[in-house]
Amino acid sequence: LRSLAWTIALLMLIIYVIGVYLTQSVVDLRSEEGNTDNPALVYYYGTLFRSILTLYQAVAGGLSWDDAVMPLMRELHPAYGIIFALYIAFVLLAIMNVVTGVFVQTAMETAQKDRDIYMVHNIRQLFANADNDGDGKVNWEEFQSQFHSEDMQDTLKLMDLDATAAEPLFKLLDVDEVGSVSFDDFIDVCVRLRGPPRSIDLMTSVYEHRRLARRLHRQLRHIEKLVG
């Protein structure tokens, strides 16, 4: 939203600056001795407010910018056509694309949040179905029994994984190597595995390092007891 606000502010500033320039040019032309008023020029650029409105309408579809620029080219100078064309190109190709991008990004983030909520719901249901003994943990046999369930398939699909990744997934979940996983570990790993298919390879490396660190820590403590 901050980037959108700055983009709108920049758009308003550009319109204001160009509006001031065009209004002043028309006022100078009208003040020259012997110049008669051109109705179209006065109508579109006779006041600052009208100039700003004309510039806004030219990019918002409320006015053909050919109609807006022709009085400037006829009464002032043909170069005003180039200035107006550059203004239209910059606003439409740069500013408006940024605004569109902000709205698209917001929509994608909202869709991702909905997807996360749906995934957590599936994981909770999957965990509840797999936890047969009700101890709050799931072992490999319980986890394996859910391979062909709809909740398991939906969960793997949301993480861009297939059924062959179920066993590596359980090993990732079982960080302490106790043969079972808790609900919190289940949720944590599944959320981290959102994204491209190679995410599981990266997460495998991360958790292997954690396992090695835990083993090293246990061995050091064992050595300290022996030495002590």
Side-chain angles (χ1 to χ4, degrees):
L1 292 180
R2 180 179 298 180
S3 59
L4 177 61
W6 280 110
T7 301
I8 294 176
L10 177 60
L11 176 60
M12 293 298 101
L13 179 61
I14 292 173
I15 292 177
Y16 176 78
V17 171
I18 297 179
V20 170
Y21 174 72
L22 295 179
T23 304
Q24 186 61 48
S25 299
V26 173
V27 170
D28 291 342
L29 177 66
R30 295 176 64 191
S31 64
E32 292 180 3
E33 186 176 354
N35 257 300
T36 59
D37 289 340
N38 180 284
L41 192 64
V42 175
Y43 176 75
Y44 289 127
Y45 306 102
T47 64
L48 177 59
F49 175 78
R50 182 61 225 191
S51 295
I52 292 175
L53 182 60
T54 299
L55 292 170
Y56 175 74
Q57 288 178 316
V59 296
L63 174 68
S64 171
W65 67 276
D66 181 66
D67 295 337
V69 74
M70 287 309 297
L72 296 173
M73 296 178 63
R74 284 196 303 261
E75 300 297 328
L76 294 175
H77 195 281
Y80 281 86
I82 299 176
I83 295 174
F84 210 93
L86 291 175
Y87 158 74
I88 295 294
F90 178 76
V91 172
L92 291 182
L93 299 181
I95 303 297
M96 291 305 181
N97 280 345
V98 172
V99 174
T100 303
V102 170
F103 282 109
V104 171
Q105 181 180 3
T106 302
M108 292 178 62
E109 290 175 353
T110 302
Q112 185 62 57
K113 289 180 181 178
D114 293 340
R115 186 183 180 188
D116 291 345
I117 293 173
Y118 179 71
M119 184 175 69
V120 171
H121 172 75
N122 277 0
I123 293 173
R124 183 179 287 109
Q125 187 63 41
L126 174 64
F127 193 89
N129 294 338
D131 187 15
N132 297 323
D133 52 12
D135 62 351
K137 294 184 178 181
V138 173
N139 57 37
W140 169 245
E141 288 75 18
E142 292 173 331
F143 187 80
Q144 193 175 24
S145 68
Q146 298 296 315
F147 274 5
H148 301 292
S149 69
E150 184 178 349
D151 292 322
M152 173 65 84
Q153 298 302 318
D154 288 344
T155 300
L156 293 175
K157 184 178 180 180
L158 287 170
M159 293 185 294
D160 296 321
L161 302 175
D162 53 30
T164 60
E167 185 173 356
L169 176 62
F170 186 84
K171 291 181 179 180
L172 288 178
L173 296 168
D174 187 17
V175 180
D176 298 324
E177 298 181 303
V178 295
S180 62
V181 297
S182 65
F183 176 73
D184 291 337
D185 291 337
F186 203 101
I187 287 288
D188 180 63
V189 173
C190 289
V191 171
R192 289 174 180 268
L193 280 175
R194 289 175 304 139
R198 303 305 297 176
S199 295
I200 191 170
D201 297 330
L202 179 60
M203 289 300 298
T204 300
S205 299
V206 172
Y207 279 84
E208 284 297 334
H209 280 86
R210 289 187 181 181
R211 288 194 180 97
L212 290 175
R214 290 175 184 270
R215 290 177 183 174
L216 180 60
H217 181 68
R218 288 196 295 265
Q219 291 177 357
L220 289 176
R221 290 182 60 183
H222 181 67
I223 294 174
E224 288 177 355
K225 290 181 180 180
L226 293 177
V227 174

